[in-house]
PDB file of all heavy atoms in Angstrom:
ATOM      1  N   VAL A 312       9.377 114.975 167.312  1.00 97.00           N
ATOM      2  CA  VAL A 312       9.166 113.567 167.686  1.00 97.00           C
ATOM      3  C   VAL A 312       8.353 113.441 168.992  1.00 97.00           C
ATOM      4  O   VAL A 312       7.190 113.042 168.978  1.00 97.00           O
ATOM      5  CB  VAL A 312      10.524 112.827 167.839  1.00 97.00           C
ATOM      6  CG1 VAL A 312      10.290 111.357 168.172  1.00 97.00           C
ATOM      7  CG2 VAL A 312      11.337 112.956 166.559  1.00 97.00           C
ATOM      8  N   CYS A 313       8.985 113.786 170.121  1.00 97.00           N
ATOM      9  CA  CYS A 313       8.432 113.441 171.447  1.00 97.00           C
ATOM     10  C   CYS A 313       7.065 114.059 171.762  1.00 97.00           C
ATOM     11  O   CYS A 313       6.221 113.384 172.361  1.00 97.00           O
ATOM     12  CB  CYS A 313       9.414 113.797 172.540  1.00 97.00           C
ATOM     13  SG  CYS A 313      11.082 113.265 172.160  1.00 97.00           S
ATOM     14  N   PRO A 314       6.801 115.338 171.437  1.00 98.00           N
ATOM     15  CA  PRO A 314       5.509 115.907 171.852  1.00 98.00           C
ATOM     16  C   PRO A 314       4.314 115.090 171.373  1.00 98.00           C
ATOM     17  O   PRO A 314       3.295 115.020 172.065  1.00 98.00           O
ATOM     18  CB  PRO A 314       5.520 117.310 171.214  1.00 98.00           C
ATOM     19  CG  PRO A 314       6.976 117.652 171.167  1.00 98.00           C
ATOM     20  CD  PRO A 314       7.661 116.354 170.804  1.00 98.00           C
ATOM     21  N   ALA A 315       4.430 114.434 170.236  1.00 97.00           N
ATOM     22  CA  ALA A 315       3.285 113.684 169.693  1.00 97.00           C
ATOM     23  C   ALA A 315       2.959 112.462 170.529  1.00 97.00           C
ATOM     24  O   ALA A 315       1.878 111.887 170.423  1.00 97.00           O
ATOM     25  CB  ALA A 315       3.574 113.271 168.253  1.00 97.00           C
ATOM     26  N   GLU A 316       3.891 112.030 171.371  1.00 96.00           N
ATOM     27  CA  GLU A 316       3.671 110.808 172.159  1.00 96.00           C
ATOM     28  C   GLU A 316       2.889 111.072 173.440  1.00 96.00           C
ATOM     29  O   GLU A 316       2.455 110.134 174.105  1.00 96.00           O
ATOM     30  CB  GLU A 316       5.018 110.176 172.517  1.00 96.00           C
ATOM     31  CG  GLU A 316       5.721 109.611 171.301  1.00 96.00           C
ATOM     32  CD  GLU A 316       7.112 109.105 171.633  1.00 96.00           C
ATOM     33  OE1 GLU A 316       7.430 108.936 172.818  1.00 96.00           O
ATOM     34  OE2 GLU A 316       7.870 108.906 170.680  1.00 96.00           O
ATOM     35  N   PHE A 317       2.742 112.330 173.833  1.00 97.00           N
ATOM     36  CA  PHE A 317       2.157 112.646 175.142  1.00 97.00           C
ATOM     37  C   PHE A 317       0.830 113.374 175.004  1.00 97.00           C
ATOM     38  O   PHE A 317       0.780 114.504 174.522  1.00 97.00           O
ATOM     39  CB  PHE A 317       3.142 113.490 175.967  1.00 97.00           C
ATOM     40  CG  PHE A 317       4.285 112.683 176.493  1.00 97.00           C
ATOM     41  CD1 PHE A 317       5.347 112.350 175.666  1.00 97.00           C
ATOM     42  CD2 PHE A 317       4.276 112.215 177.804  1.00 97.00           C
ATOM     43  CE1 PHE A 317       6.396 111.567 176.138  1.00 97.00           C
ATOM     44  CE2 PHE A 317       5.323 111.432 178.283  1.00 97.00           C
ATOM     45  CZ  PHE A 317       6.385 111.113 177.443  1.00 97.00           C
ATOM     46  N   ASP A 318      -0.238 112.691 175.431  1.00 97.00           N
ATOM     47  CA  ASP A 318      -1.562 113.296 175.492  1.00 97.00           C
ATOM     48  C   ASP A 318      -1.552 114.341 176.604  1.00 97.00           C
ATOM     49  O   ASP A 318      -1.123 114.053 177.728  1.00 97.00           O
ATOM     50  CB  ASP A 318      -2.564 112.178 175.814  1.00 97.00           C
ATOM     51  CG  ASP A 318      -4.004 112.623 175.755  1.00 97.00           C
ATOM     52  OD1 ASP A 318      -4.253 113.824 175.505  1.00 97.00           O
ATOM     53  OD2 ASP A 318      -4.888 111.768 175.963  1.00 97.00           O
ATOM     54  N   LEU A 319      -2.025 115.544 176.308  1.00 98.00           N
ATOM     55  CA  LEU A 319      -2.068 116.599 177.335  1.00 98.00           C
ATOM     56  C   LEU A 319      -3.483 116.802 177.860  1.00 98.00           C
ATOM     57  O   LEU A 319      -3.694 117.581 178.780  1.00 98.00           O
ATOM     58  CB  LEU A 319      -1.542 117.922 176.749  1.00 98.00           C
ATOM     59  CG  LEU A 319      -0.141 117.885 176.130  1.00 98.00           C
ATOM     60  CD1 LEU A 319       0.232 119.263 175.594  1.00 98.00           C
ATOM     61  CD2 LEU A 319       0.897 117.398 177.133  1.00 98.00           C
ATOM     62  N   GLY A 320      -4.448 116.132 177.206  1.00 98.00           N
ATOM     63  CA  GLY A 320      -5.848 116.361 177.537  1.00 98.00           C
ATOM     64  C   GLY A 320      -6.495 117.304 176.536  1.00 98.00           C
ATOM     65  O   GLY A 320      -7.623 117.753 176.727  1.00 98.00           O
ATOM     66  N   GLU A 321      -5.768 117.605 175.461  1.00 98.00           N
ATOM     67  CA  GLU A 321      -6.295 118.485 174.421  1.00 98.00           C
ATOM     68  C   GLU A 321      -7.444 117.802 173.664  1.00 98.00           C
ATOM     69  O   GLU A 321      -7.581 116.582 173.708  1.00 98.00           O
ATOM     70  CB  GLU A 321      -5.184 118.844 173.411  1.00 98.00           C
ATOM     71  CG  GLU A 321      -4.763 117.726 172.472  1.00 98.00           C
ATOM     72  CD  GLU A 321      -3.727 116.770 173.063  1.00 98.00           C
ATOM     73  OE1 GLU A 321      -3.159 117.076 174.120  1.00 98.00           O
ATOM     74  OE2 GLU A 321      -3.525 115.697 172.459  1.00 98.00           O
ATOM     75  N   HIS A 322      -8.236 118.628 172.953  1.00 97.00           N
ATOM     76  CA  HIS A 322      -9.260 118.051 172.073  1.00 97.00           C
ATOM     77  C   HIS A 322      -8.643 117.661 170.741  1.00 97.00           C
ATOM     78  O   HIS A 322      -8.911 116.578 170.224  1.00 97.00           O
ATOM     79  CB  HIS A 322     -10.399 119.054 171.864  1.00 97.00           C
ATOM     80  CG  HIS A 322     -11.114 119.362 173.135  1.00 97.00           C
ATOM     81  ND1 HIS A 322     -10.893 120.504 173.867  1.00 97.00           N
ATOM     82  CD2 HIS A 322     -12.025 118.635 173.828  1.00 97.00           C
ATOM     83  CE1 HIS A 322     -11.641 120.494 174.949  1.00 97.00           C
ATOM     84  NE2 HIS A 322     -12.340 119.377 174.961  1.00 97.00           N
ATOM     85  N   TYR A 323      -7.852 118.570 170.176  1.00 98.00           N
ATOM     86  CA  TYR A 323      -7.209 118.304 168.886  1.00 98.00           C
ATOM     87  C   TYR A 323      -5.724 118.605 168.974  1.00 98.00           C
ATOM     88  O   TYR A 323      -5.295 119.460 169.764  1.00 98.00           O
ATOM     89  CB  TYR A 323      -7.792 119.228 167.805  1.00 98.00           C
ATOM     90  CG  TYR A 323      -9.035 118.710 167.108  1.00 98.00           C
ATOM     91  CD1 TYR A 323      -9.793 117.667 167.624  1.00 98.00           C
ATOM     92  CD2 TYR A 323      -9.442 119.298 165.907  1.00 98.00           C
ATOM     93  CE1 TYR A 323     -10.936 117.238 166.972  1.00 98.00           C
ATOM     94  CE2 TYR A 323     -10.584 118.871 165.247  1.00 98.00           C
ATOM     95  CZ  TYR A 323     -11.330 117.836 165.782  1.00 98.00           C
ATOM     96  OH  TYR A 323     -12.454 117.415 165.137  1.00 98.00           O
TER      97      TYR A 323
END
Side-chain angles (χ1 to χ4, degrees):
V312 182
C313 314
E316 291 175 15
F317 286 79
D318 187 358
L319 304 180
E321 73 276 348
H322 296 101
Y323 273 16

